[in-house]
Amino acid sequence: ARKAYELVLQGDPANAPALDELGRIATAEGRWQDAAQLLERRIDVESDPDHRVRLRRELATIVRDRLADPQRAVDAWQAVLD
């Protein structure tokens, strides 16, 4: 399934459903850096402000808990508040 979603993104880098699914796969596989990068891309293409906040919270939690990157976590949480 991952390859299929990657192909979709080659044709449409802003395809939200493909970004969501690849993010879920990365999370399920414990590939936290990939999950964080996919969330960042997903945030960039999301137009709904409430959904962007939810995605930013998810990103901040992954960065804090899984990547142990304090500065990136602070930046991510700040983005939630903005």
Side-chain angles (χ1 to χ4, degrees):
R2 184 168 72 196
K3 293 286 186 197
Y5 291 118
E6 289 170 350
L7 286 173
V8 170
L9 289 180
Q10 285 179 5
D12 179 9
N15 186 290
L19 289 167
D20 287 341
E21 290 304 315
L22 283 171
R24 284 186 191 97
I25 291 168
T27 298
E29 294 176 349
R31 294 182 299 109
W32 301 111
Q33 185 63 43
D34 290 342
Q37 289 173 346
L38 287 160
L39 271 170
E40 288 169 341
R41 289 176 61 187
R42 182 64 178 87
I43 290 164
D44 288 342
V45 301
E46 180 55 55
S47 61
D48 177 41
D50 292 334
H51 196 198
R52 285 175 66 103
V53 167
R54 186 187 67 74
L55 293 168
R56 284 184 170 137
R57 280 190 200 130
E58 187 177 346
L59 174 62
T61 300
I62 287 173
V63 172
R64 181 193 65 204
D65 296 347
R66 301 298 182 167
L67 299 179
D69 185 339
Q71 185 56 54
R72 190 172 170 197
V74 167
D75 293 345
W77 283 111
Q78 185 62 46
V80 170
L81 299 174
D82 287 347

